[in-house]
Amino acid sequence: MAWRYREGVSVALDTKLSAVLGDRSAKALQSAFGYTLVGQLVAHYPRRYATRGELTSIAGVPVGEMATLVAEVVSVSTRGMRARTGSVLEVIISDGTGLVTLTFFNQAWRAKDLVPGVRGIFAGKVGLYRGERQLAHPDYELFDERELTNTEGEEWAKRPIPLYPATAKVASWQMARALGVVLDVLDAVPDPIPADIAVAEKLMPSKEALEKIHRPGEEQDWRQARDTLRFHEAFVLQCALVQRRIQAASHTSVARTAGPGTEAFLGSLPFALTSDQQSVLAEIHQDMAKPHPMNRLVQGEVGSGKTVVAVASMVTVSESGGQSALLAPTEVLAWQHFRSIVATLGPELAASMNPVLLTGNLRAAETKKALLAAASGQAKIVVGTHALLSERVTFADLGLVVIDEQHRFGVDQREALRQKGTHPHVLVLTATPIPRTVAMTVFGDLDVSTIRMVPSGRQPISTHVVALGDHPNWYPRVWQRLAEEVAKGRQGFVVVPSISPSVPEDDDAVDSSQEASEEARVLASVAETVPLLRGLPELSHAKIEAVHGKLPSDEKDAVMQAFSAGDIDVVVATTVIEVGIDVPNASVMVILDADRFGVSQLHQLRGRVGRGEHAGVCLLVTACEPDTPARARVEAVAATTDGFELATIDLELRSEGDVLGDRQSGRRSGLTLVRVTKDGELIDQARSYATRVVEADPRLAGHPDLAVDIARRLDEASVDYLAKN
Ligand code: ADP
Ligand code: MG
């Protein structure tokens, strides 16, 4: 790329890159990263830094360690992968003391740059593959001709070398150069942080931080710069979320107060609420009694009794004639909710509140009846799936929107339902516990309530890892255990990661972090497991059926209903049964290839048993070797039944992208330096500063630089994106 910078142009964050770098380079950056403005480019921070000090010779490279090598490409080859489609690019490099192989999966394009004879700096973790040392997907920076003949060795000695996220078209060193050109001419950069906070937190001025993160003279420089810029990110995001929350709360809603009806309902329950349920319900009642919309998330362990709290809230709303809508993620759950709401209300309340169900699979006449009941206000509770979001669904007085298991829904859906009332109160239920500081980022615009305790009398669940690698002969024992429970009149689940050997489940069951592992195994599937179980003598009297995502939903529901009724002994399923299924007689959960599921997912699945009077047993079957991350997940689940502890472990084991919901999350959320998984304390601190600043000055009239920075970093879409999940 060649740089053209026109004299006299004043360069600020909102200057077009083309004005500084020229059209060609600007185009290259736009197509590589979508950047058009100076502010976007300067926020392209190095992924890491290399220094000469850490350079190692190939001969001395220890396996399992990070190494940075200066070396020359010796040979390059591409081959197909044995067990799956795709290619492996193998590049052999040498530094004169030895050879190391670099491998890249499905990145054959890199062969264009990595040609024999080229020199560069290569950094990555040294692994062993078939006895040879290799670096899989290393970071690298190739030297251009100029540097090849270099006299810059001395400067190198202490200067950290920034290594940038790069693409096929724009290499790390090209990013460094483009940034150099821009930083040379960049004017003063406005500081989003109020001066008193900057002083208290010992932050650098913005301009200096940008300079030092991209062109550090020594390690200390980029570390301090990064701390400053990370604080900026956290603070600006929290300001946006606090603003949004204040704005949402400024709308006028109908206040809903709990009266004798709610009292009577609670008195009619066959159990007393746990103290956690009581305090969460009290928080909800407090919120709804105000003439502003409630926006509350209730998180609670699987089986902690969130649903009954939601039903009590619906009864409260109905006391002033208001209606409630409950949105469930699947047909099966919508039905289950509907049935359990009817049962929980009891015959009298059920008759007066007239709950109706709306799903995509009802007969036309039923749908018409339900639509009418909702529109006339006669149905005080409307339970449904996505069908609820249809334009045909209207309410006379929608007072409360309840969203169950909300990690399955996006903010658009929450919004679509909310639009059907006049700023109705919103209650979101989730069984995936989230550590508080993460909740502050991901659910920044919601108030969070937590149900920690599980109703007493719940039976314990014992969890065992069945490691087939260590004990292959344990497999038959798994089925014996299942058969023993069935023989006692109990029921069981067998969960597998795929539908058939060639059709993986359609959702997120399969852990994509294993993509790079070449030795793909054939995973346990519904198609193979059902006949296997039916063929076992010890299960010859058992009725065994399958449920998975590709079944028509009425069939799925029929099976689950029959299972609920006790007519089916064993259900072989994919993760479609993960959320919310409540069958008290089920006592055994077998999960095959358990390592293919995430920690929270395993925990959720396990929560399907031990819900009645029988102790539960959960068998996590895995062929994974000890000391692998996948095995660690499985062992973690076996070690504790505390969902919050598991959520924390899950966060540590998962990548950031998984937490925020997709791999592009860094870009979309405006978070590139902050890690919600690790920066809890920082987020906490930023939150309290942000609350102070925004509550004192909601429109940020006195903080114009902050207001501009919020607008620049976080377009509406990305705030929505974060508020989602
Ligand atoms: P969640 O939705 O939080 O997973 P549910 O609301 O489905 O849990 O409750 C699980 C079961 O526990 C239901 O059968 C419900 O009737 C029962 N339950 C709820 N609260 C209590 C309580 N305080 N005491 C005893 N049982 C309860
Ligand atoms: Mg539930």
Side-chain angles (χ1 to χ4, degrees), residues 271-274 277 301-307 455 458 582 611:
F271 47 74
L273 295 187
T274 64
Q277 285 172 316
E301 272 293 356
V302 169
S304 60
K306 296 180 292 297
T307 311
R458 209 38 72 70
D582 192 15
R611 297 169 76 89

Side-chain angles (χ1 to χ4, degrees), residues 303 305-307 333 336-337 404-405 429 431 579-581 608 611:
K306 296 180 292 297
T307 311
L333 273 177
Q336 181 181 292
H337 271 305
D404 189 27
E405 312 291 358
L429 310 178
V579 278
I581 291 298
R608 300 304 115 213
R611 297 169 76 89

Side-chain angles (χ1 to χ4, degrees), residues 307 314 326-342 355-362 381-388 404-405 409 553 556-557 560-561 576 579-582:
T307 311
M314 296 175 177
L326 190 160
L327 179 62
T330 64
E331 183 99 9
V332 172
L333 273 177
W335 272 99
Q336 181 181 292
H337 271 305
F338 180 69
R339 281 192 297 265
S340 92
I341 286 173
V342 171
V356 297
L357 180 73
L358 253 174
T359 75
N361 285 302
L362 298 180
I381 298 180
V382 181
V383 179
T385 55
H386 293 84
L388 275 188
D404 189 27
E405 312 291 358
F409 293 104
S553 51
K556 231 177 350 191
D557 199 53
M560 286 318 297
Q561 226 165 312
V576 293
V579 278
I581 291 298
D582 192 15

Side-chain angles (χ1 to χ4, degrees), residues 6 40 139 402 533 580 582 677:
R6 278 185 274 120
Q40 294 170 322
D139 285 330
V402 181
L533 296 188
D582 192 15
T677 49

Side-chain angles (χ1 to χ4, degrees), residues 13 76 79 92 101 128 138 157 204 245 296 310 349 376 395 401 404 430-431 466 477 530 547 561 608 645 683:
L13 295 180
V76 181
R79 61 182 170 83
I92 298 176
T101 306
L128 214 50
M204 285 180 187
R245 175 205 188 103
R296 186 168 288 278
L349 264 183
S376 67
F395 295 86
V401 165
D404 189 27
T430 178
V466 180
R477 182 71 192 109
V530 170
V547 173
Q561 226 165 312
R608 300 304 115 213
E645 193 181 326
I683 292 169

